[in-house]
Amino acid sequence: MKVLFYDCFSGISGDMNLGAMLDLGIEEDFLKEELLKLKLPGWELDIQKDQRHGIYGTRLTVKIKNEDRAHRHLSDIKEILDSSDLDEKVKETSLKIFTTIARAEAKVHNTTIDRIHFHEVGAIDSIVDVVGAAICYEKLGVDRLIVGRLELGSGFVDCAHGTLPVPAPATVEILHDIPVSTGGVNFEATTPTGAAIIKSLANEYGGLEGFRILKSAYGIGQKVNPSRPNILRVYLGEMEETSDKGNDSVMMECNIDDMNPEWYNEVIDKLINAGASDAFLTPLIMKQGRPGIKISVLARPEKIDILKDIIFSDTTTLGLRYYEVGKYTLEREYRKVSTPLGELTVKLAYHKNKLVSVKPEHRDCLEISRKEGISLKEITKIVMTSFGEWK
């Protein structure tokens, strides 16, 4: 399983995240070309190697050519994304991050997400930070994103609403239920943009148990801090999934017949991001012939409380049931295979040390399909032929 781990010992901001992604191997030209698809003028990227406490990494700064005073609403951000040439998945991920911020700001200012207007986060540099994060995340194609304890900082920060305590109120709202620490540095270590990236993309929060580091990278922060290096460290690596034995899990279920169907996708995304192993919908015919939907959530027992809170807060159900289930998974391995279309990933599955399944990674195939205009069926055939020759 391909995993990205965020070590946020000095917090995270949008530019630190992009610096870390470039340091990890995302190509500078690729990022710039993708960001130009926003069709948003008036900015450029300043990318340099830099160091903090002798640790070298990549420092990225979004430089604004002309002052941007626009106070954009979520609808304005959505219009920018919709009119861009970005990949649909990148648009979806970007909007998810912005919506996370909008919800938090709306809560702080006692209004709705449609009426809230972004100040700093609606500026061009923050739009570039958020969309850049989505571009890099989708390009990496990881199976899970894990975050360690998040340092928030201390002191006060000046913003459009005046001087605010660190962490800023919106940051606090975003980071509910996430392990954090404070006071490690005397400035705003985690910004609302950084917090929203974590909240929107992370699958779980914890340590490195069972994690095999393949590559490490460093995003250099703008501030120089004497007490600890102002750096975001990320690891790209692999984790083995428990194989060929029963896993203690729970299945949580509820039946719903009175909810707006447009809400279901967001509910499923939140459940998966909160650590559910799987979450899915099943159509039902309920009492009195009413059509309904069953939400099913497979998870580890320790995830019950956080997933239960999401179900009750984000759906119209008045109750749910859960029961223990056994779960068997095959041992999995990911390999890069050279093909006439370039290097693509294949997923191998083993049962009792015997290879039983080979499948091209869908993200890689989809990217080639959209770029080259070749059907997924034909790409799969090419990859499998190349794998047979390579093996």
Coordinates of all heavy atoms in Angstrom, one line a residue, residues 61-144:
T61 N 7.6 30.1 -2.8 CA 6.9 31.3 -2.5 C 6.0 31.7 -3.8 O 6.5 31.7 -4.9 CB 7.8 32.5 -2.2 OG1 8.7 32.1 -1.2 CG2 7.0 33.7 -1.8
V62 N 4.7 31.9 -3.5 CA 3.9 32.4 -4.6 C 3.9 33.9 -4.6 O 3.5 34.6 -3.7 CB 2.4 32.0 -4.4 CG1 1.5 32.4 -5.5 CG2 2.3 30.4 -4.2
K63 N 4.5 34.5 -5.6 CA 4.7 35.9 -5.7 C 3.6 36.5 -6.6 O 3.3 36.1 -7.7 CB 6.1 36.3 -6.3 CG 7.2 35.9 -5.4 CD 8.5 36.5 -5.9 CE 9.6 36.3 -4.9 NZ 10.9 37.0 -5.3
I64 N 3.0 37.6 -6.0 CA 1.9 38.2 -6.7 C 2.4 39.4 -7.4 O 3.0 40.3 -6.9 CB 0.8 38.7 -5.6 CG1 0.3 37.4 -4.8 CG2 -0.4 39.3 -6.4 CD1 -0.2 36.3 -5.6
K65 N 2.1 39.5 -8.7 CA 2.6 40.6 -9.6 C 1.8 41.9 -9.3 O 2.4 43.0 -9.4 CB 2.5 40.2 -11.0 CG 3.4 39.0 -11.4 CD 3.2 38.6 -12.8 CE 4.1 37.4 -13.2 NZ 4.0 37.0 -14.6
N66 N 0.5 41.7 -9.1 CA -0.4 42.9 -8.8 C -1.2 42.6 -7.6 O -1.6 41.5 -7.4 CB -1.3 43.2 -10.0 CG -0.6 43.4 -11.3 OD1 0.2 44.3 -11.4 ND2 -0.9 42.6 -12.3
E67 N -1.4 43.7 -6.8 CA -2.1 43.5 -5.5 C -3.5 42.9 -5.8 O -4.2 43.4 -6.7 CB -2.2 44.8 -4.8 CG -2.7 44.7 -3.4 CD -2.7 46.0 -2.6 OE1 -2.3 47.0 -3.2 OE2 -3.0 45.9 -1.4
D68 N -3.8 41.9 -5.0 CA -5.1 41.2 -5.2 C -6.0 41.5 -4.0 O -5.8 41.0 -2.9 CB -4.9 39.7 -5.4 CG -6.2 39.0 -5.5 OD1 -7.2 39.5 -6.1 OD2 -6.3 37.8 -5.0
R69 N -7.0 42.4 -4.2 CA -7.9 42.8 -3.0 C -9.2 42.1 -3.1 O -10.1 42.4 -2.3 CB -8.0 44.3 -3.0 CG -6.8 45.1 -2.7 CD -7.1 46.6 -2.7 NE -5.9 47.3 -2.3 CZ -5.6 47.6 -1.0 NH1 -6.4 47.2 -0.1 NH2 -4.6 48.3 -0.7
A70 N -9.4 41.2 -4.0 CA -10.7 40.5 -4.2 C -11.1 39.7 -2.9 O -10.2 39.0 -2.4 CB -10.7 39.6 -5.4
H71 N -12.3 39.9 -2.5 CA -12.8 39.1 -1.4 C -13.8 38.1 -2.0 O -15.0 38.4 -2.3 CB -13.6 40.0 -0.3 CG -12.6 40.8 0.5 ND1 -13.1 41.8 1.3 CD2 -11.3 40.8 0.6 CE1 -12.0 42.3 2.0 NE2 -10.9 41.7 1.5
R72 N -13.3 36.9 -2.3 CA -14.1 35.9 -3.0 C -14.9 35.0 -2.1 O -14.5 34.7 -1.0 CB -13.1 35.0 -3.8 CG -12.3 35.8 -4.9 CD -11.3 34.9 -5.6 NE -10.7 35.6 -6.7 CZ -9.5 36.3 -6.6 NH1 -8.9 36.4 -5.4 NH2 -9.0 36.9 -7.6
H73 N -16.1 34.7 -2.6 CA -17.0 33.7 -2.0 C -16.7 32.3 -2.5 O -15.9 32.2 -3.5 CB -18.5 34.1 -2.3 CG -18.9 35.4 -1.6 ND1 -18.5 36.6 -2.1 CD2 -19.7 35.6 -0.5 CE1 -19.1 37.5 -1.3 NE2 -19.8 37.0 -0.4
L74 N -17.3 31.3 -1.8 CA -17.1 30.0 -2.3 C -17.6 29.8 -3.7 O -17.0 29.0 -4.5 CB -17.8 29.0 -1.4 CG -17.5 27.5 -1.6 CD1 -16.0 27.1 -1.5 CD2 -18.4 26.6 -0.6
S75 N -18.6 30.5 -4.1 CA -19.2 30.4 -5.4 C -18.2 30.9 -6.5 O -18.1 30.4 -7.6 CB -20.5 31.1 -5.5 OG -20.3 32.5 -5.2
D76 N -17.4 32.0 -6.1 CA -16.4 32.5 -7.0 C -15.3 31.5 -7.2 O -14.7 31.4 -8.3 CB -15.8 33.8 -6.4 CG -16.8 34.9 -6.2 OD1 -17.7 35.1 -7.1 OD2 -16.8 35.6 -5.2
I77 N -14.9 30.9 -6.1 CA -13.8 29.8 -6.2 C -14.3 28.7 -7.1 O -13.5 28.2 -8.0 CB -13.5 29.3 -4.8 CG1 -13.0 30.4 -3.9 CG2 -12.4 28.1 -4.9 CD1 -11.7 31.0 -4.3
K78 N -15.5 28.3 -6.9 CA -16.1 27.2 -7.7 C -16.1 27.6 -9.2 O -15.8 26.8 -10.1 CB -17.5 26.8 -7.3 CG -18.1 25.6 -7.9 CD -19.4 25.2 -7.3 CE -19.9 23.9 -7.8 NZ -20.0 23.8 -9.3
E79 N -16.5 28.8 -9.5 CA -16.5 29.3 -10.9 C -15.1 29.3 -11.5 O -14.9 28.9 -12.6 CB -17.1 30.7 -10.9 CG -17.2 31.3 -12.3 CD -17.9 32.6 -12.3 OE1 -18.5 33.0 -11.3 OE2 -17.8 33.3 -13.4
I80 N -14.1 29.7 -10.7 CA -12.7 29.6 -11.2 C -12.3 28.2 -11.5 O -11.7 27.9 -12.6 CB -11.7 30.2 -10.1 CG1 -11.9 31.7 -10.0 CG2 -10.3 29.9 -10.5 CD1 -11.2 32.4 -8.8
L81 N -12.7 27.3 -10.6 CA -12.3 25.9 -10.9 C -13.1 25.3 -12.1 O -12.5 24.6 -12.9 CB -12.6 25.0 -9.6 CG -11.8 25.3 -8.4 CD1 -12.3 24.6 -7.2 CD2 -10.3 25.0 -8.6
D82 N -14.4 25.6 -12.1 CA -15.2 25.1 -13.2 C -14.7 25.6 -14.6 O -14.8 24.8 -15.6 CB -16.7 25.4 -13.0 CG -17.3 24.6 -11.9 OD1 -16.7 23.6 -11.5 OD2 -18.4 25.1 -11.4
S83 N -14.3 26.8 -14.7 CA -13.9 27.4 -15.9 C -12.4 27.0 -16.3 O -11.9 27.4 -17.4 CB -14.0 28.9 -15.9 OG -13.2 29.5 -14.9
S84 N -11.7 26.3 -15.4 CA -10.3 25.9 -15.7 C -10.3 24.7 -16.5 O -11.3 24.0 -16.8 CB -9.6 25.7 -14.3 OG -10.0 24.4 -13.8
D85 N -9.0 24.4 -17.0 CA -8.8 23.2 -17.8 C -8.2 22.0 -16.9 O -7.6 21.1 -17.4 CB -7.9 23.4 -18.9 CG -8.5 24.4 -19.9 OD1 -9.7 24.4 -20.1 OD2 -7.7 25.2 -20.5
L86 N -8.3 22.2 -15.6 CA -7.8 21.2 -14.7 C -8.6 19.8 -14.8 O -9.7 19.8 -15.2 CB -7.9 21.7 -13.2 CG -7.0 22.8 -12.9 CD1 -7.4 23.5 -11.6 CD2 -5.5 22.4 -12.7
D87 N -7.9 18.8 -14.4 CA -8.5 17.5 -14.4 C -9.7 17.5 -13.4 O -9.6 18.2 -12.4 CB -7.5 16.4 -13.9 CG -8.1 15.0 -13.8 OD1 -8.1 14.3 -14.8 OD2 -8.5 14.6 -12.7
E88 N -10.8 16.8 -13.7 CA -11.9 16.8 -12.8 C -11.7 16.4 -11.4 O -12.2 16.9 -10.5 CB -13.0 15.9 -13.4 CG -13.7 16.5 -14.7 CD -14.3 17.9 -14.5 OE1 -14.9 18.1 -13.5 OE2 -14.1 18.7 -15.4
K89 N -10.8 15.4 -11.2 CA -10.4 15.0 -9.9 C -9.7 16.1 -9.1 O -9.9 16.3 -7.9 CB -9.6 13.7 -9.9 CG -9.4 13.0 -8.6 CD -10.7 12.5 -8.0 CE -10.5 11.8 -6.7 NZ -11.8 11.5 -6.0
V90 N -8.9 16.8 -9.8 CA -8.2 17.9 -9.1 C -9.2 19.0 -8.7 O -9.1 19.6 -7.7 CB -7.1 18.5 -10.1 CG1 -6.5 19.8 -9.5 CG2 -6.0 17.5 -10.3
K91 N -10.1 19.3 -9.6 CA -11.2 20.3 -9.3 C -11.9 19.9 -8.1 O -12.2 20.7 -7.1 CB -12.1 20.4 -10.5 CG -11.5 21.1 -11.7 CD -12.6 21.2 -12.8 CE -12.1 21.7 -14.1 NZ -13.1 21.8 -15.1
E92 N -12.3 18.6 -8.0 CA -13.1 18.1 -6.9 C -12.3 18.1 -5.6 O -12.8 18.6 -4.6 CB -13.4 16.6 -7.2 CG -14.2 15.9 -6.1 CD -14.5 14.5 -6.5 OE1 -14.7 14.2 -7.7 OE2 -14.5 13.6 -5.5
T93 N -11.0 17.8 -5.6 CA -10.2 17.8 -4.4 C -10.0 19.3 -4.0 O -10.0 19.6 -2.8 CB -8.8 17.1 -4.7 OG1 -9.1 15.8 -5.1 CG2 -8.0 17.1 -3.4
S94 N -9.7 20.2 -4.9 CA -9.5 21.6 -4.6 C -10.8 22.1 -3.9 O -10.7 22.8 -2.9 CB -9.2 22.4 -5.8 OG -8.1 21.9 -6.5
L95 N -11.9 21.9 -4.5 CA -13.2 22.4 -3.9 C -13.4 21.8 -2.5 O -14.0 22.5 -1.7 CB -14.4 22.1 -4.9 CG -15.7 22.7 -4.4 CD1 -15.6 24.2 -4.4 CD2 -16.8 22.2 -5.4
K96 N -13.0 20.6 -2.3 CA -13.2 19.9 -1.0 C -12.4 20.7 0.0 O -12.9 20.9 1.1 CB -12.7 18.5 -1.1 CG -12.9 17.7 0.2 CD -12.4 16.2 -0.1 CE -12.6 15.4 1.2 NZ -12.2 14.0 0.9
I97 N -11.2 21.1 -0.3 CA -10.3 21.8 0.6 C -10.9 23.2 0.9 O -11.0 23.7 2.1 CB -8.9 22.0 0.1 CG1 -8.3 20.6 -0.1 CG2 -8.0 22.8 1.0 CD1 -6.9 20.6 -0.8
F98 N -11.4 23.9 -0.2 CA -12.0 25.2 0.0 C -13.3 25.1 0.9 O -13.6 26.0 1.7 CB -12.2 25.9 -1.3 CG -11.1 26.6 -1.9 CD1 -10.5 26.1 -3.0 CD2 -10.5 27.7 -1.3 CE1 -9.4 26.8 -3.6 CE2 -9.4 28.4 -1.8 CZ -8.8 27.9 -3.0
T99 N -14.0 24.1 0.6 CA -15.3 23.9 1.4 C -15.0 23.7 2.9 O -15.7 24.2 3.7 CB -16.1 22.8 0.8 OG1 -16.4 23.0 -0.6 CG2 -17.4 22.6 1.5
T100 N -13.9 23.0 3.1 CA -13.5 22.8 4.5 C -13.2 24.1 5.2 O -13.7 24.3 6.4 CB -12.3 21.9 4.6 OG1 -12.6 20.6 4.1 CG2 -11.8 21.7 6.0
I101 N -12.6 25.0 4.5 CA -12.3 26.3 5.1 C -13.6 27.1 5.2 O -13.8 27.8 6.2 CB -11.3 27.1 4.2 CG1 -10.0 26.3 4.0 CG2 -11.0 28.5 4.7 CD1 -9.0 26.8 3.0
A102 N -14.4 27.1 4.2 CA -15.7 27.8 4.2 C -16.5 27.4 5.4 O -17.1 28.3 6.1 CB -16.4 27.7 2.9
R103 N -16.6 26.1 5.7 CA -17.4 25.7 6.8 C -16.9 26.2 8.1 O -17.7 26.7 9.0 CB -17.4 24.1 6.9 CG -18.3 23.5 5.8 CD -18.6 22.0 6.2 NE -19.4 21.3 5.2 CZ -18.9 20.4 4.4 NH1 -17.7 20.1 4.4 NH2 -19.7 19.9 3.5
A104 N -15.6 26.2 8.3 CA -15.0 26.7 9.5 C -15.2 28.2 9.6 O -15.6 28.7 10.7 CB -13.5 26.4 9.5
E105 N -15.0 29.0 8.6 CA -15.2 30.4 8.6 C -16.6 30.8 8.9 O -16.9 31.7 9.7 CB -14.7 31.0 7.3 CG -13.2 31.0 7.0 CD -12.4 32.0 7.8 OE1 -13.0 32.7 8.6 OE2 -11.2 32.1 7.6
A106 N -17.5 30.0 8.3 CA -19.0 30.3 8.5 C -19.3 30.0 10.0 O -20.1 30.8 10.6 CB -19.8 29.4 7.6
K107 N -18.8 29.0 10.6 CA -19.0 28.7 12.0 C -18.5 29.8 12.9 O -19.2 30.3 13.8 CB -18.4 27.4 12.4 CG -18.5 27.0 13.8 CD -19.9 26.6 14.2 CE -20.0 26.1 15.6 NZ -19.2 24.9 15.9
V108 N -17.3 30.3 12.6 CA -16.7 31.3 13.4 C -17.5 32.6 13.3 O -17.7 33.4 14.3 CB -15.2 31.6 13.0 CG1 -14.6 32.8 13.6 CG2 -14.4 30.4 13.3
H109 N -17.9 33.0 12.1 CA -18.6 34.3 11.9 C -20.1 34.2 11.9 O -20.8 35.1 11.5 CB -18.2 34.8 10.5 CG -16.7 35.1 10.5 ND1 -16.1 36.1 11.3 CD2 -15.7 34.6 9.7 CE1 -14.8 36.1 11.0 NE2 -14.5 35.2 10.1
N110 N -20.6 33.0 12.3 CA -22.1 32.8 12.5 C -22.9 33.1 11.2 O -23.8 33.9 11.2 CB -22.6 33.7 13.7 CG -24.0 33.2 14.1 OD1 -24.4 32.1 14.0 ND2 -24.8 34.2 14.6
T111 N -22.5 32.5 10.1 CA -23.2 32.7 8.9 C -23.2 31.4 8.1 O -22.9 30.3 8.7 CB -22.5 33.8 8.1 OG1 -23.3 34.1 6.9 CG2 -21.1 33.5 7.6
T112 N -23.5 31.4 6.8 CA -23.5 30.2 6.0 C -22.3 30.1 5.1 O -21.7 31.2 4.8 CB -24.8 30.1 5.2 OG1 -24.8 31.2 4.2 CG2 -26.0 30.2 6.1
I113 N -22.0 28.9 4.6 CA -20.9 28.8 3.7 C -21.1 29.6 2.4 O -20.1 29.9 1.8 CB -20.5 27.3 3.4 CG1 -21.6 26.6 2.7 CG2 -20.2 26.6 4.7 CD1 -21.2 25.2 2.2
D114 N -22.3 29.8 2.0 CA -22.6 30.5 0.8 C -22.3 32.0 0.9 O -22.0 32.7 0.0 CB -24.0 30.3 0.3 CG -24.2 28.8 -0.1 OD1 -23.3 28.2 -0.6 OD2 -25.3 28.3 0.2
R115 N -22.5 32.5 2.2 CA -22.4 33.9 2.4 C -21.0 34.4 2.9 O -20.6 35.5 2.8 CB -23.4 34.4 3.4 CG -24.8 34.2 3.0 CD -25.8 34.7 4.0 NE -25.7 36.2 4.2 CZ -26.4 36.9 5.1 NH1 -27.2 36.3 5.9 NH2 -26.2 38.2 5.1
I116 N -20.2 33.4 3.4 CA -18.9 33.7 3.9 C -18.0 34.2 2.7 O -18.1 33.6 1.6 CB -18.2 32.5 4.6 CG1 -17.0 33.0 5.4 CG2 -17.8 31.4 3.7 CD1 -17.4 33.8 6.7
H117 N -17.2 35.2 2.9 CA -16.2 35.6 1.9 C -14.8 35.4 2.5 O -14.5 35.7 3.6 CB -16.5 37.0 1.4 CG -16.3 38.1 2.4 ND1 -17.4 38.6 3.1 CD2 -15.2 38.7 2.9 CE1 -17.0 39.5 4.0 NE2 -15.7 39.6 3.8
F118 N -14.0 34.8 1.6 CA -12.6 34.5 2.0 C -11.8 35.8 1.9 O -11.9 36.6 1.0 CB -12.0 33.5 1.0 CG -12.6 32.2 1.0 CD1 -13.3 31.7 -0.1 CD2 -12.6 31.4 2.1 CE1 -13.9 30.5 -0.1 CE2 -13.2 30.1 2.1 CZ -13.9 29.7 1.0
H119 N -10.9 36.0 2.9 CA -10.0 37.1 2.9 C -8.6 36.6 2.4 O -8.4 36.5 1.2 CB -9.9 37.8 4.3 CG -11.1 38.4 4.7 ND1 -11.5 39.6 4.2 CD2 -12.0 38.1 5.6 CE1 -12.6 40.0 4.8 NE2 -13.0 39.1 5.6
E120 N -7.8 36.2 3.3 CA -6.4 35.7 2.9 C -6.5 34.5 2.0 O -5.8 34.3 1.1 CB -5.6 35.5 4.2 CG -5.1 36.7 4.9 CD -6.2 37.2 5.9 OE1 -7.3 36.7 5.9 OE2 -5.9 38.2 6.6
V121 N -7.5 33.6 2.4 CA -7.6 32.3 1.7 C -8.2 32.5 0.3 O -8.0 31.6 -0.5 CB -8.4 31.3 2.6 CG1 -8.5 30.0 1.8 CG2 -7.7 31.1 3.9
G122 N -8.8 33.6 0.1 CA -9.4 33.8 -1.3 C -8.4 34.6 -2.2 O -8.7 34.8 -3.3
A123 N -7.3 35.0 -1.6 CA -6.3 35.7 -2.5 C -5.6 34.7 -3.4 O -5.7 33.5 -3.2 CB -5.2 36.3 -1.6
I124 N -5.0 35.2 -4.5 CA -4.5 34.4 -5.5 C -3.4 33.4 -5.0 O -3.4 32.3 -5.4 CB -3.9 35.3 -6.6 CG1 -5.0 36.0 -7.4 CG2 -3.0 34.5 -7.6 CD1 -4.5 37.0 -8.5
D125 N -2.6 33.9 -4.1 CA -1.5 33.0 -3.6 C -2.1 31.8 -2.9 O -1.6 30.7 -3.0 CB -0.5 33.7 -2.7 CG -1.2 34.5 -1.6 OD1 -2.4 34.7 -1.6 OD2 -0.4 34.9 -0.6
S126 N -3.2 32.0 -2.1 CA -3.8 30.9 -1.4 C -4.5 30.0 -2.3 O -4.6 28.7 -2.1 CB -4.8 31.4 -0.3 OG -4.0 32.0 0.7
I127 N -5.1 30.5 -3.4 CA -5.8 29.7 -4.4 C -4.7 28.8 -5.1 O -4.9 27.6 -5.3 CB -6.5 30.5 -5.5 CG1 -7.7 31.3 -4.8 CG2 -7.0 29.7 -6.6 CD1 -8.3 32.3 -5.7
V128 N -3.6 29.3 -5.4 CA -2.5 28.6 -6.0 C -2.0 27.5 -5.0 O -1.8 26.3 -5.4 CB -1.3 29.5 -6.4 CG1 -0.1 28.7 -6.8 CG2 -1.7 30.4 -7.5
D129 N -1.9 27.8 -3.7 CA -1.5 26.8 -2.7 C -2.5 25.7 -2.6 O -2.0 24.5 -2.6 CB -1.4 27.5 -1.3 CG -0.2 28.4 -1.1 OD1 0.8 28.2 -1.9 OD2 -0.2 29.2 -0.2
V130 N -3.8 26.0 -2.6 CA -4.8 24.9 -2.4 C -4.8 24.0 -3.7 O -4.8 22.8 -3.6 CB -6.1 25.5 -2.1 CG1 -7.2 24.5 -2.2 CG2 -6.1 26.1 -0.7
V131 N -4.9 24.7 -4.9 CA -5.0 23.9 -6.1 C -3.7 23.1 -6.4 O -3.8 22.0 -6.8 CB -5.4 24.8 -7.3 CG1 -5.4 24.0 -8.6 CG2 -6.7 25.5 -7.1
G132 N -2.6 23.7 -6.0 CA -1.3 23.0 -6.1 C -1.3 21.8 -5.3 O -0.8 20.8 -5.7
A133 N -1.8 21.9 -4.0 CA -1.9 20.7 -3.2 C -2.7 19.6 -3.8 O -2.3 18.4 -3.7 CB -2.5 21.1 -1.8
A134 N -3.8 20.0 -4.4 CA -4.7 19.0 -5.0 C -4.0 18.3 -6.2 O -4.1 17.1 -6.4 CB -6.0 19.6 -5.5
I135 N -3.3 19.1 -7.0 CA -2.5 18.6 -8.2 C -1.5 17.6 -7.7 O -1.4 16.5 -8.3 CB -1.9 19.8 -8.9 CG1 -2.9 20.7 -9.6 CG2 -0.9 19.3 -10.0 CD1 -2.4 22.0 -10.2
C136 N -0.7 18.0 -6.7 CA 0.4 17.1 -6.2 C -0.2 15.8 -5.6 O 0.3 14.7 -5.9 CB 1.2 17.8 -5.2 SG 2.1 19.2 -5.9
Y137 N -1.3 15.9 -4.8 CA -1.9 14.8 -4.2 C -2.4 13.8 -5.3 O -2.1 12.6 -5.2 CB -3.0 15.2 -3.3 CG -3.8 14.1 -2.7 CD1 -3.3 13.4 -1.6 CD2 -5.1 13.7 -3.2 CE1 -4.0 12.3 -1.0 CE2 -5.8 12.7 -2.6 CZ -5.2 12.0 -1.6 OH -6.0 10.9 -1.0
E138 N -3.1 14.3 -6.3 CA -3.6 13.4 -7.3 C -2.5 12.8 -8.1 O -2.5 11.6 -8.6 CB -4.6 14.1 -8.2 CG -5.8 14.6 -7.5 CD -6.6 13.5 -6.8 OE1 -6.6 12.4 -7.3 OE2 -7.3 13.8 -5.8
K139 N -1.4 13.6 -8.4 CA -0.3 13.1 -9.1 C 0.4 11.9 -8.4 O 0.8 10.9 -9.0 CB 0.7 14.2 -9.4 CG 2.0 13.8 -10.2 CD 1.7 13.3 -11.6 CE 2.9 13.1 -12.4 NZ 2.6 12.6 -13.7
L140 N 0.6 12.0 -7.1 CA 1.3 11.0 -6.3 C 0.5 9.7 -6.3 O 1.0 8.6 -6.3 CB 1.5 11.5 -4.9 CG 2.6 12.5 -4.7 CD1 2.6 13.0 -3.3 CD2 4.0 12.0 -5.1
G141 N -0.9 9.8 -6.3 CA -1.7 8.6 -6.4 C -1.5 7.7 -5.2 O -1.5 6.4 -5.3
V142 N -1.4 8.2 -4.0 CA -1.2 7.4 -2.8 C -2.5 6.7 -2.4 O -3.6 7.2 -2.6 CB -0.6 8.2 -1.6 CG1 0.8 8.7 -2.0 CG2 -1.5 9.4 -1.2
D143 N -2.4 5.6 -1.6 CA -3.6 4.9 -1.1 C -4.0 5.5 0.2 O -5.2 5.4 0.5 CB -3.2 3.4 -1.0 CG -2.9 2.8 -2.3 OD1 -3.8 2.7 -3.1 OD2 -1.7 2.4 -2.4
R144 N -3.1 6.0 1.0 CA -3.4 6.6 2.3 C -2.5 7.8 2.6 O -1.3 7.8 2.2 CB -3.3 5.6 3.4 CG -4.3 4.4 3.3 CD -4.4 3.6 4.6 NE -5.2 4.2 5.6 CZ -6.5 4.3 5.5 NH1 -7.2 3.8 4.5 NH2 -7.2 4.9 6.5

